[in-house]
Amino acid sequence: MLDGTRKFSLIDDTNKEMKRILTTVYDALKEKGYNPINQIVGYLLSEDPTYITNHNNARSLIRRIDRDELMQELVQNYLND
């Protein structure tokens, strides 16, 4: 018999995955000597994947994130802090 109902949130899981990917991409860009913030912003504005290095599979990883969802989450977090 279960004492309670287990809940999970797809949104929370998605946000955690976006953060994990973004952190990995940031670290890869930094390791290669790039300014990670400038490169990620360039990618978000243009959707040009060449802003992101292939180092540590970063370019492939960032393309897994929906840009609109990521920008929405970034703005929401910025305004909530």
Side-chain angles (χ1 to χ4, degrees), residues 21-74:
I21 289 172
L22 202 54
T23 300
T24 301
V25 169
Y26 179 94
D27 292 343
L29 288 163
K30 192 165 185 119
E31 286 176 18
K32 293 302 282 182
Y34 295 106
N35 180 323
I37 301 298
N38 287 349
Q39 297 302 115
I40 292 169
V41 168
Y43 169 74
L44 290 174
L45 292 174
S46 70
E47 202 171 4
D48 181 356
T50 60
Y51 276 98
I52 307 300
T53 182
N54 277 320
H55 181 64
N56 290 342
N57 206 29
R59 187 176 296 164
S60 177
L61 285 173
I62 200 149
R63 295 179 87 181
R64 292 182 188 173
I65 299 175
D66 181 274
R67 281 183 334 129
D68 292 336
E69 286 180 23
L70 177 58
M71 287 191 282
Q72 181 179 357
E73 186 65 24
L74 292 171

